[in-house]
Amino acid sequence: MTGRSTPDPIGLEVRWDRLAAATDEAATTMLRTAFSTIIRESNDYTVVLMDRRGRTVAESRAGIPAFAALMSSLAELVLRRFPADQWLDGDCVITNDPWIATGHLPDIAMITPVFHRGSLVGFAGTAAHSPDIGGTSTLGATDLLAEGVLIPPLRLFRGGRVEQGVKDLLLANVRLPEEVWGDLEAQAAAHAVCRRRAREFLDDFDETGLEEFAEAVHALADAAMREAIAAVPDGVYRSCLDADGVQGRPTHIECAVEVRGEDITVDYAGSSRQVPFAVNSTLNYTRAYSMYPLKVLLDPATRTNWGSYRAIRVRAPEGTIVNPTFPAPVLARHLTGHLLSCALYQALAPVLPDRVIADSGGAPALRVRFAGQDDDGRPFGLMLFANAGMGASRASDGLSTTAFPTNSGVGGIEALEVSSPLRFVRKELRAGSGGSGRRRGGLGQVIEVHNPTRRPVQMVLLGDREHHPALGLAGGGPGAPARAVLSTGERVSLKSISELAPGASVVISFAGGGGFGDPQEREPELRLADELAGYTIEEDSA
């Protein structure tokens, strides 16, 4: 591209695809070297390559896409603390500050420089969910500092050498130091792949840096998004929704989407004030889970980078559940942030009825953490990432047991059982859970977990959709709500800490997605197919 005023579009695409492949290779490296099942099996991570100013150029196509959407703002803040002229080859900065990184303490973000022929040309970035981050309680905390170790932007490596004091301080404050450090080394291995492939890219195309290429792909992504926005009629489109909230008090989200020409503004004024409970969503997380649903709605085909989001602005009043002030607790921020996709699609349904989907049962996702010791006294921790049903669209039924707007997965049951003493008794589609409609909502699932040990196991549930199920659109019905029931018959709140006694089991029923359209208009052959597959048989309500 050197010396060309207008880049060759085919050559540009070839180069862009090559850098995207580099981030995918780096992601594969992380998956294969990670110690915890959270990364290895559940895909709770992202990998990106950025230009010298920290703006994403290429993003891995697996992992959590909304995380990639906030890596540029993260890098910008890190570069304020560590300016470009202070970086050495082999440096590594980490942080889990929720107001800088991905919104809660368990996610550790990492930034490393890319040097080529002695010059700083860009950065590699990752973020991944750590298996433990300390803290006294995952739900009892009323402020951030009780939720775990807060890491401001710090150098973990300097010139390729471990900053031993930082490592020692971090590992002294977590329960699973071997897994935590193993996952950080897996992130570092992914960065090594990114740096190597970026240098090879520059050598092969005889480039001295990434700036000209970055400007071209940013302009391309920006133009594609602006063209998509311009096709939406100008106006202000509104919606509101309630979540289960905390301690019997629902939380409320107000959403206004303003379309003006090639720009779109999302405003959450009127949403609930922040609460002394972990469901607060920091503004960067709120932005990410507003921008990504709009990206897949308006411009799903163009590969994403920093330019994809330049036309989108997100506002939220300070001190609310979508923009809390420090030190608000934020551990379960996804219980608010994931709901924003529902609010956005409900708002835009009148003008984009052929493109939106009904509410998804996994928006927000239901997470279950098990922790304890096996019969030999060895500690373990296991986070269950499992998926509910997606909402239906005008064109098709919702996908069953499919994550949205996140991209996480439960992974292999065998891997989960190997990493803990727990036994998974069953994992099956939840019949009757999809909302009715001309197009049926996706089915949730039922997972039964048994504790075969002689010791009690702590069980933490972080969920919603217990009292506010996924809503349908255009006359479609709601999906089935979520619930958790012990083998004793006792129902467990989806925001609770309890014990799974020795020999006891818990049955977790994940929510179904909302339906789309009048149920009376569903074609007879589709009704019959649902019945033959067992999808419409109501499950036992116990």
Side-chain angles (χ1 to χ4, degrees):
M1 286 166 48
T2 302
R4 299 177 186 171
S5 58
T6 303
D8 166 33
I10 296 176
L12 182 64
E13 182 63 28
V14 168
R15 296 175 189 213
W16 199 0
D17 192 64
R18 176 162 170 176
L19 282 185
T23 61
D24 288 342
E25 181 186 353
T28 300
T29 300
M30 189 194 305
L31 292 174
R32 291 181 175 176
T33 57
F35 279 41
S36 76
T37 58
I38 297 176
I39 297 175
R40 211 171 58 235
E41 299 290 328
S42 300
N43 302 316
D44 199 350
Y45 70 89
T46 193
V47 182
V48 300
L49 269 170
M50 298 174 280
D51 65 13
R52 199 171 183 276
R53 287 184 278 178
R55 304 176 303 177
T56 59
V57 175
E59 304 171 359
S60 62
R61 286 166 279 198
I64 308 297
F67 281 6
L70 50 74
M71 290 300 290
S72 295
S73 61
L74 161 67
E76 179 184 355
L77 292 169
V78 168
L79 285 169
R80 290 180 191 173
R81 179 156 184 171
F82 300 101
D85 60 1
Q86 295 181 10
W87 291 80
L88 301 177
D89 198 3
D91 279 2
C92 168
V93 170
I94 61 170
T95 183
N96 68 346
D97 186 330
W99 279 262
I100 297 175
T102 63
H104 71 173
L105 297 177
D107 289 343
I108 300 177
M110 183 179 289
I111 303 289
T112 60
V114 178
F115 280 84
H116 179 61
R117 299 174 185 172
S119 298
L120 177 66
V121 296
F123 293 89
T126 61
H129 194 297
S130 178
D132 188 76
I133 202 65
T136 57
S137 167
T138 52
L139 278 177
T142 57
D143 66 43
L144 178 78
L145 300 180
E147 292 186 324
V149 181
L150 174 61
I151 309 168
L154 293 174
R155 288 192 180 100
L156 184 61
F157 293 86
R158 180 61 167 167
R161 303 175 69 91
V162 175
E163 293 281 12
Q164 195 63 41
V166 175
K167 176 185 175 181
D168 290 347
L169 181 61
L170 172 60
L171 299 188
N173 284 279
V174 298
R175 301 173 184 86
L176 302 170
E178 184 176 332
E179 288 191 30
V180 170
W181 184 248
D183 281 2
L184 285 171
E185 288 190 312
Q187 286 182 251
H191 285 244
V193 172
C194 282
R195 294 198 304 273
R196 183 170 67 251
R197 295 304 186 210
R199 288 193 290 265
E200 291 173 357
F201 171 89
L202 294 172
D203 282 336
D204 289 350
F205 291 103
D206 194 25
E207 297 284 356
T208 58
L210 291 170
E211 292 307 301
E212 186 179 349
F213 171 80
E215 290 292 339
V217 294
H218 290 157
L220 188 154
D222 180 44
M225 176 58 80
R226 290 185 183 278
E227 182 180 358
I229 294 171
V232 180
D234 284 2
V236 179
Y237 309 102
R238 302 181 183 274
S239 70
C240 63
L241 58 83
D242 290 325
D244 292 350
V246 294
Q247 299 174 343
R249 294 190 295 273
T251 50
H252 183 75
I253 295 172
E254 286 278 348
C255 176
V257 182
E258 182 178 5
V259 179
R260 288 286 178 265
E262 297 180 341
D263 295 283
I264 191 165
T265 301
V266 181
D267 196 324
Y268 293 109
S271 298
S272 293
R273 301 295 299 174
Q274 69 185 64
V275 294
F277 195 81
V279 299
N280 301 292
S281 172
T282 58
L283 184 59
N284 50 338
Y285 194 80
T286 292
R287 284 175 174 152
Y289 274 94
S290 301
M291 294 188 299
Y292 172 69
L294 289 173
K295 164 65 177 166
V296 297
L297 179 71
L298 298 170
D299 179 33
T302 308
R303 188 178 288 123
T304 54
N305 61 37
W306 174 79
S308 303
Y309 307 113
R310 291 172 62 183
I312 303 173
R313 293 171 179 78
V314 179
R315 298 196 297 250
E318 192 173 49
T320 61
I321 58 169
V322 285
N323 184 14
T325 57
F326 181 88
V330 293
L331 181 79
R333 84 291 195 223
H334 72 282
L335 297 183
T336 294
H338 286 183
L339 280 168
L340 302 178
S341 62
C342 301
L344 289 164
Y345 290 175
Q346 294 276 351
L348 291 169
V351 287
L352 298 173
D354 295 331
R355 300 168 76 174
V356 298
I357 62 172
D359 290 2
S360 293
L366 169 57
R367 303 288 184 238
V368 188
R369 177 172 174 79
F370 299 97
Q373 297 179 342
D374 64 18
D375 286 337
D376 295 324
R378 293 186 294 264
F380 73 91
L382 176 69
M383 181 72 83
L384 177 61
F385 285 68
N387 300 322
M390 275 185 68
S393 69
R394 174 172 283 185
S396 61
D397 292 344
L399 299 175
S400 296
T401 63
T402 301
F404 185 82
T406 183
N407 190 34
S408 58
V410 66
I413 291 301
E414 296 82 1
L416 299 180
E417 289 187 331
V418 165
S419 66
S420 80
L422 300 176
R423 185 165 67 90
F424 286 76
V425 178
R426 59 179 167 135
K427 182 177 184 289
E428 59 193 30
L429 290 174
R430 184 183 177 191
S433 59
S436 61
R438 187 171 188 271
R439 296 292 172 256
R440 171 182 48 76
L443 303 183
Q445 62 183 306
V446 178
I447 298 178
E448 183 175 353
V449 184
H450 176 65
N451 175 17
T453 75
R454 297 188 298 272
R455 302 170 184 259
V457 172
Q458 184 190 67
M459 181 175 67
V460 180
L461 288 104
L462 296 171
D464 207 273
R465 296 292 187 201
E466 192 172 7
H467 305 293
H468 293 80
L471 300 178
L473 276 175
R483 65 168 180 259
V485 181
L486 296 173
S487 50
T488 60
E490 178 187 356
R491 192 157 173 168
V492 185
S493 168
L494 297 187
K495 294 184 181 71
S496 66
I497 303 174
S498 60
E499 282 192 347
L500 192 59
S505 299
V506 61
V507 177
I508 307 161
S509 299
F510 290 77
F516 196 108
D518 186 346
Q520 299 302 316
E521 296 179 0
R522 188 164 179 80
E523 295 86 343
E525 61 271 23
L526 295 182
R527 292 174 183 270
L528 177 61
D530 284 344
E531 291 175 8
L532 292 175
Y535 291 169
T536 58
I537 301 172
E538 292 292 337
E539 64 173 330
D540 186 352
S541 60

